[in-house]
Amino acid sequence: MDRAALHRALQEEAARHSIAIEYGKRLVDAAPTPSGGVVATFDDGSQAEGDLLIGADGLHSRTRTLLDAAAPRPRHAGQSTVCGRIPHNPEAAPPGTYRMISGDRAFFGCTTAPDGPTYWFANIPGEALSRDELAAITPAQWRQRVADVFAGDSTPAAGIVAATGTEIVARNTYDIPSTPVWHNPSMVIIGDAAHATAPNAAQGAALAIEDAVVLAQCLRDLPDAPQAFAAYERLRRERVERVVAISGRLAARDPDAASARTRDARTARALDRDEGRGEERGDNDWLVGYRIDWDEKVG
């Protein structure tokens, strides 16, 4: 599912439940109310009051710093992420699969949507660029940069990139290995606001969706927000920090990896290892096969 389709499905579901969506609001402050709720203040001077505030406000989360003024800042992962779209490419991943390629100099992933287009991303080494510097690089220049990085590899990555037209965008890549404070009695953070991950393991959006489901379970099954937030953190912290660590390891290029076999073996070990326990699982089901039973009660 491409991200636009996911956004559309979420918006339609919100509308079906008569949930209002307001655009152009930027959170600047939040404070508890005497009744135990929270009031949010936005940069246009308007306010909103509710029982709780869920900060799903991304990498540069304002909610994260309201919870903890000393919260860690995003860490640049030493790479740029370049994304492209091709109407059709026979060398790309077959429908229903996600192909990951660890090249000599960079990391590449691609998938084919059910309706035909191929989406790819490449994590190429580089320093953080300013907004103006990113905007000054044209799609053709990004295409050439990425194709050059993969040109020496015996993989389809360079050909897939070279076949791409102007539908190419790029951004800096960051992660946050660990955020000490996830909540207070009336506020909580989810998704990238709590645990931004480099995209090498392709789990960022999945982790955010998992967070939403688990938090909803906790709010459903526990008597108040403080208990629900504590349970949510307990159920989520170990997994998300493990995934962030794995993705960070995949982002690191090893200059001593002398061969594709050595590099591929290192990647396989990173995905197969149950990080934090040091146990070899024999597959990466813990990473991509994670499932949540909505009907299971949170105690």
Side-chain angles (χ1 to χ4, degrees):
M1 177 184 290
D2 65 54
R3 193 160 298 216
L6 174 61
H7 289 174
R8 185 166 55 251
L10 292 172
Q11 288 175 328
E12 290 173 353
E13 187 67 9
R16 191 173 72 84
H17 289 278
S18 301
I19 298 171
I21 300 176
E22 294 191 35
Y23 297 93
K25 297 285 187 179
R26 182 174 295 275
L27 180 72
V28 294
D29 198 8
T33 64
S35 61
V38 59
V39 59
T41 302
F42 302 96
D43 63 351
D44 61 1
S46 64
Q47 292 185 322
E49 185 174 337
D51 295 327
L52 52 89
L53 186 154
I54 299 172
D57 48 348
L59 179 69
H60 301 289
S61 169
R62 174 59 176 157
T63 315
R64 182 174 63 239
T65 59
L66 290 174
L67 286 168
D68 177 13
R73 298 177 61 84
R75 177 184 68 176
H76 189 252
Q79 60 187 21
S80 297
T81 295
V82 187
C83 302
R85 179 184 182 277
I86 317 173
H88 175 68
N89 190 292
E91 292 187 296
T97 66
Y98 211 127
R99 175 176 286 176
M100 299 288 209
I101 298 171
S102 183
D104 280 330
R105 298 168 58 195
F107 194 89
F108 183 85
C110 63
T111 189
T112 300
D115 57 350
T118 291
Y119 296 87
W120 60 262
F121 76 89
N123 295 323
I124 63 174
E127 299 300 318
L129 300 174
S130 70
R131 183 174 297 182
D132 289 342
E133 288 172 329
L134 284 170
I137 303 174
T138 67
Q141 290 171 326
W142 279 119
R143 182 175 58 242
Q144 190 62 54
R145 284 192 190 189
V146 177
D148 288 347
V149 167
F150 292 104
D153 297 337
S154 299
T155 75
I160 293 170
V161 173
T164 309
T166 59
E167 293 187 81
I168 299 176
V169 295
R171 59 181 174 82
N172 296 315
T173 299
Y174 299 90
D175 68 4
I176 301 176
S178 181
T179 300
V181 181
W182 282 24
H183 58 88
N184 66 18
S186 59
M187 297 165 52
V188 66
I189 48 177
I190 68 172
D192 281 0
H195 47 72
T197 178
N200 298 71
Q203 291 297 302
L207 292 179
I209 295 169
E210 292 171 13
D211 280 356
V213 175
V214 172
L215 178 58
Q217 285 179 305
C218 294
L219 290 167
R220 176 195 67 191
D221 296 339
L222 295 170
D224 55 38
Q227 292 183 63
F229 294 165
Y232 153 74
E233 180 179 356
R234 172 176 54 81
L235 291 169
R236 295 297 295 158
R237 181 179 284 277
E238 181 181 7
R239 171 172 171 76
V240 301
E241 290 186 354
R242 188 179 305 167
V243 174
V244 173
I246 282 287
S247 224
R249 286 176 58 187
L250 291 175
R253 310 313 300 169
D254 184 356
D256 298 324
S259 69
R261 179 174 296 178
T262 300
R263 185 177 63 251
D264 292 346
R266 186 185 71 247
T267 300
R269 284 195 302 272
L271 292 174
D272 289 349
R273 180 171 292 277
D274 192 350
E275 292 294 316
R277 292 185 175 89
E279 299 173 358
E280 294 293 343
R281 296 286 296 275
D283 58 46
N284 61 10
D285 188 64
W286 75 269
L287 179 66
V288 298
Y290 182 74
R291 297 291 183 270
I292 300 169
D293 181 358
W294 174 252
D295 293 326
E296 182 178 347
K297 299 297 181 183
V298 177

